[in-house]
Amino acid sequence: MLYIKRNLLCILYLSAFLSISKISFAASEGGFEAIVNIPLGTAVTVVHKNVPVEGNPKGHANFQCGIETDIGYMFQLKENMGISLLGVFGYNYTSASYSKYNGNIKYKFIENDIYIGILPKFNIDSFSIGINFGFRFTLSPNILFYNSKDTVEIKQDIYPRMYIRGTFDYSIFFREDMAINVGIYIGYDFGDYWDGTSKELYVVKNESFGNVEVGAQFGFRFGPKF
């Protein structure tokens, strides 16, 4: 499963690079583009079915927020149309949580993430649609395990995990090269997994889960206006 995810990410990177490379030769105008966005939303945990898991696991909704900087170049195709290729760097706070055995066993993964990625996007007039994808790295991984008697804190190893996010934005220009950005996003964080079986924690090796992410984003954009 991890092998498939890595291959998928490589194909997405390659496709974005080839598309932008081809367009850059035909583009007549363009310009530097930078965006700072603040995403606010909900992340709903989904338990994967890659291994059998007992207890009828159920995912829960979690708050999500952060800040993201996108920097790159816009290649103009026509008078009111262009394609951008942006590098992504951001901070994301969220949680992943789920329960088993009618809520008697609960898990909560608190994640403060730094992430890097690529955002190719298509622009027409003041609208844009893009695909933001890359890897997240948790700075201080922390797991809380709850049962009917007590709460246990578990330390987690740090490793990269893949994310992908579709973005839909509208730019409200107040100058020729400056705008307020408003938009929505929907995506998936491929999440974490347990690296061993534990009877005390009611988990099995490679039990994994991710988050479906939905929200709004608000920010500032510097770049050419069509």
Side-chain angles (χ1 to χ4, degrees):
M1 188 173 181
L2 292 175
Y3 177 78
I4 294 174
K5 291 177 186 176
R6 292 193 186 101
N7 277 318
L8 175 61
L9 188 60
C10 290
I11 291 170
L12 289 172
Y13 273 115
L14 182 60
S15 299
F17 175 76
L18 291 176
S19 299
I20 296 301
S21 298
K22 182 177 179 181
I23 290 165
S24 63
F25 289 106
S28 57
E29 296 181 11
F32 172 79
E33 184 176 3
I35 302 171
V36 178
N37 271 330
I38 297 177
L40 297 169
T42 300
V44 180
T45 302
V46 176
V47 179
H48 302 152
K49 296 183 179 180
N50 56 312
V51 294
V53 178
E54 296 181 352
N56 189 25
K58 295 183 179 180
H60 303 291
N62 311 276
F63 174 70
Q64 181 178 65
C65 66
I67 185 168
E68 177 179 302
T69 302
D70 309 323
I71 299 176
Y73 196 86
M74 178 191 292
F75 301 89
Q76 185 170 349
L77 304 179
K78 295 182 179 180
E79 183 178 350
N80 64 339
M81 189 181 301
I83 288 184
S84 302
L85 180 61
L86 308 176
V88 176
F89 181 78
Y91 165 79
N92 182 68
Y93 168 82
T94 191
S95 298
S97 60
Y98 67 102
S99 61
K100 297 178 181 178
Y101 299 103
N102 296 319
N104 292 316
I105 301 296
K106 299 178 183 179
Y107 312 91
K108 185 171 185 178
F109 292 68
I110 302 171
E111 294 167 334
N112 292 280
D113 299 326
I114 293 293
Y115 62 94
I116 56 174
I118 290 179
L119 172 58
K121 66 186 182 80
F122 176 73
N123 310 283
I124 181 166
D125 292 325
S126 295
F127 294 92
S128 66
I129 178 172
I131 300 177
N132 182 341
F133 58 94
F135 288 99
R136 290 175 175 167
F137 304 83
T138 299
L139 298 178
S140 56
N142 191 14
I143 308 170
L144 297 177
F145 166 73
Y146 306 87
N147 59 28
S148 57
K149 296 180 180 180
D150 54 18
T151 300
V152 179
E153 183 176 345
I154 307 167
K155 294 299 180 181
Q156 182 187 17
D157 293 333
I158 298 175
Y159 56 87
R161 65 186 195 276
M162 181 182 167
Y163 77 90
I164 186 167
R165 177 181 285 182
T167 61
F168 309 88
D169 293 299
Y170 181 77
S171 298
I172 305 170
F173 282 88
F174 56 90
R175 276 182 39 175
E176 284 297 314
D177 57 357
M178 295 184 183
I180 300 297
N181 238 31
V182 294
I184 60 174
Y185 65 86
I186 181 170
Y188 194 75
D189 182 329
F190 287 87
D192 298 289
Y193 66 94
W194 295 92
D195 59 6
T197 298
S198 172
K199 292 182 179 180
E200 292 79 12
L201 300 177
Y202 300 89
V203 297
V204 296
K205 185 176 181 179
N206 293 326
E207 179 179 326
S208 62
F209 49 91
N211 275 341
V212 176
E213 303 174 341
V214 181
Q217 53 189 20
F218 313 90
F220 171 81
R221 175 186 171 195
F222 176 85
K225 176 184 180 182
F226 296 132

